[in-house]
Amino acid sequence: MQFLGFLVNGISLGSVYAIIALGYTMVYGIAKMLNFAHGDVIMVGGYVISTCMTSMGMNPLLSVLVGMVACTILGITVERVAYKPLREAPSLAVLITAIGVSYLLQNAALLIFGSATKSFNSVVGVKPITLFDGALTITGEALVTIVVGVVVMIGLTLFVNRTKMGHAMLAVSEDKGAAQLMGIDVNATISLTFAIGSGLAAVAGALLCSSYPSLSPTTGAMPGIKAFVAAVFGGIGSIPGAMLGGILLGIIENLSKAYISTQLSDAIVFGVLIVVLLVKPTGLLGKKISEKV
Amino acid sequence: MKNMKVFANWKKLDKNFREKTVNYGIVLVAFLVIQILSATGSLKNSISGQLVPICTYVVMAISLNLVVGFLGELSLGHAGFMSLGAFSGTLFWVLNCETLPRPVALIAAFLIGGVVAGIFGFIIGIPVLRLRGDYLAIVTLAFGEIIKTVLNALYLGLDSNGFHLSMKDTMSLGMEADGKVLINGAIGITGISKASSFVIGIVLVLITLFVVMNLVDSRAGRAIKSIRDNRIAAESIGIPITKYKMMAFITSAVLAGMAGVLYALNYSTLVAKKFDYNTSILVLVFVVLGGMGNIRGSIIAATVLTILPELLRSVADYRMLVYAILLIAMMIFTQSPKAIAWRAVMVEKIKARRPGKGKMKQGEEG
């Protein structure tokens, strides 16, 4: 029964990773860049939501909405200012720029909100449920996180496969030049991808900070990196892959925390990444792309 | 007149030789200036405390430049090698600094730090160097975090029965009463007898310069640079990619390990947390701002960016913010196609204002 409890918490944490990983995977698929700053957008979302709720006394749901809008604007701005000029540049330059943006967001938050860890009021109002005569308690946060995760995945899959804009995203990720010739606005599509990814990051921030109620300028860094591990694990560029990778990684992390060592759980998570890249570099659901000279 | 002659001969010398001589010269002149200043007592305390860290960061920046600038791969786990070197070297030093003669123990500590980091560089290099670009960056980051996490949870003790190792706590080491805890988990190694000095730091910087500049200027170095410029072309003319990548990676790891020893022996305690992702990024900032593939730039950037925050204590809070903005601006300015085109236009305009010189330059290029 205890095992089941760890498993449910693992799936809940995994759903957060999955939502973050979706942002990574979509941006990677379309812009072919690793957006290092994605984790820090989560942190910005957390701060915006927290400020809305505590300082302005807003309704939790409304606060999450404001957080999403703020992160979407932030995501689009970052893409326009920092990444767009470098679209044709070597990938090393783009990667270093992304690290710079990540650092910029962290240090800006440090100056604005201070380095002290803030407590975060949960945005979830659902009561915990008890199963098997009290042997297993599932918190409302875990429940809501899992539900939101499933909804986001279904919604995003439908959006990409059924709508015109979704098809445009697929086309741009396949071949930017050809997509442009077909009359697709490549710049708008890339902006849309960053917007969706950043909006989801705000949702992930709300869920993460509700389950682990603390907030500091580096809150987003570790989950961001782990979500990237999840995206690689599931196969980068693949939306179901990000979901699967995220949930598996959450389960691995929580079980190793419970049964092996709390301190070493991070090392185990990163060990998974290294094993995956050695055994199956394309990830669980990734497609193999042969290199053209 | 005589000066002119020396200058003329200087110009005739091989370009690489001139580059190297200037680099050594900068370090030696800096060393002499600092020695004179400290002898006359006009050196501020805040600066003299930074001398060993400056040497450490210069060595770190030059060694990372070998991987980022010359090999063209982004390593985000450089602090991990520094950490491995620091812990192994310091462990040896703590055990032997009283039994062996001090200079012997010190040299051995540096060698052990370098060798241990180099061995791990090899082990880590096997999986890492099969990858490229973003994947390589993230895996080196992962290794850096793994090293930090494991060292942070490591307990090592010594008693009459030999060494005891544990990943839990000091109690589970199961030592005899006479046992001594050497590495105490998150508290790290304590009670280190300080041994680093500015002279040792400068010697290490000179060794690093010698190794890296000669490697870069050798046949192997040209192979490494060819991998950066065009991997597929290099592979197709028969350059063993993995071998040369490994060579650059291990050299860089060994030097980082030695820098770690230098850094650790400057303080009385050593904790694994110091060598985290932020340290790796800090060194990366030095390399990028100094210029990727430019050794002199690394030296200057590491020195200036370590001293500046000390001098400008009042605005120290903004330091990392400014670094971040500089990093982004630098990349956009030097790498974006539009910025490069704009720069070319500006250069043309300046040339047009000075017709004589401009024409000559153009003629040379044509």
Side-chain angles (χ1 to χ4, degrees), chain A residues 30-46:
Chain A
I30 287 183
K32 297 284 176 289
M33 66 161 288
L34 173 52
N35 185 9
F36 245 97
H38 194 62
D40 300 293
V41 177
I42 301 168
M43 174 270 300
V44 173

Side-chain angles (χ1 to χ4, degrees), chain A residues 85 103 107 228 236 263 277 291, chain B residues 135 139 149 231 278 320 336:
Chain A
Y103 243 59
N107 286 291
F228 178 75
I236 200 143
Q263 285 172 312
L277 286 177
E291 193 177 2
Chain B
Y135 287 98
V139 172
T149 322
R231 189 185 56 85
N278 288 340
M320 292 318 289
S336 126

Side-chain angles (χ1 to χ4, degrees), chain B residues 220-234:
Chain B
R222 285 187 289 278
I224 290 170
K225 280 183 272 184
S226 76
I227 297 172
R228 170 195 66 188
D229 292 337
N230 193 332
R231 189 185 56 85
I232 295 168

Side-chain angles (χ1 to χ4, degrees), chain A:
Chain A
M1 212 46 62
Q2 214 186 0
F3 174 78
L4 214 58
F6 290 135
L7 195 66
V8 170
N9 281 337
I11 295 174
S12 157
L13 177 65
S15 303
V16 175
Y17 286 160
I19 297 172
I20 309 170
L22 284 171
Y24 265 118
T25 240
M26 281 169 38
V27 167
Y28 196 93
I30 287 183
K32 297 284 176 289
M33 66 161 288
L34 173 52
N35 185 9
F36 245 97
H38 194 62
D40 300 293
V41 177
I42 301 168
M43 174 270 300
V44 173
Y47 271 112
V48 171
I49 294 167
S50 169
T51 312
C52 282
M53 278 189 348
T54 51
S55 308
M56 302 183 199
M58 269 199 236
N59 171 309
L61 274 180
L62 193 64
S63 309
V64 174
L65 213 61
V66 173
M68 283 174 74
V69 171
C71 284
T72 307
I73 295 170
L74 178 69
I76 295 176
T77 316
V78 164
E79 197 271 330
R80 280 286 156 88
V81 174
Y83 302 153
K84 200 178 163 199
L86 292 167
R87 214 169 274 164
E88 308 298 324
S91 67
L92 188 64
V94 186
L95 200 54
I96 292 172
T97 311
I99 291 172
V101 173
S102 157
Y103 243 59
L104 181 70
L105 293 181
Q106 279 184 24
N107 286 291
L110 191 71
L111 287 174
I112 298 170
F113 300 103
S115 60
T117 308
K118 275 187 175 183
S119 66
F120 186 92
N121 298 334
S122 174
V123 295
V124 178
V126 180
K127 285 199 182 107
I129 52 166
T130 314
L131 296 173
F132 307 111
D133 299 332
L136 177 67
T137 311
I138 302 174
T139 61
E141 281 81 11
L143 216 60
V144 169
T145 306
I146 296 171
V147 171
V148 170
V150 171
V151 169
V152 164
M153 183 181 74
I154 295 174
L156 206 59
T157 313
L158 287 178
F159 174 77
V160 169
N161 291 324
R162 297 284 169 85
T163 64
K164 214 171 178 183
M165 281 188 282
H167 286 165
M169 281 165 70
L170 285 179
V172 172
S173 79
E174 198 102 335
D175 190 328
K176 236 180 260 171
Q180 194 152 24
L181 289 177
M182 295 302 119
I184 293 170
D185 187 344
V186 172
N187 282 331
T189 311
I190 292 179
S191 290
L192 177 71
T193 313
F194 271 87
I196 295 176
S198 307
L200 288 181
V203 176
L207 295 172
L208 185 77
C209 296
S210 299
S211 300
Y212 304 88
S214 67
L215 193 57
S216 74
T218 51
T219 295
M222 233 343 128
I225 294 168
K226 285 183 187 160
F228 178 75
V229 174
V232 173
F233 191 15
I236 200 143
S238 147
I239 288 174
M243 214 59 206
L244 181 69
I247 289 174
L248 283 179
L249 202 74
I251 295 174
I252 292 172
E253 182 178 336
N254 244 15
L255 291 186
S256 57
K257 248 183 204 159
Y259 293 107
I260 303 174
S261 159
T262 325
Q263 285 172 312
L264 292 180
S265 68
D266 282 359
I268 293 167
V269 167
F270 289 124
V272 168
L273 171 74
I274 291 158
V275 171
V276 168
L277 286 177
L278 283 181
V279 178
K280 199 169 185 306
T282 50
L284 293 175
L285 301 178
K287 274 182 268 173
K288 189 168 168 52
I289 302 159
S290 53
E291 193 177 2
K292 280 176 259 176
V293 178

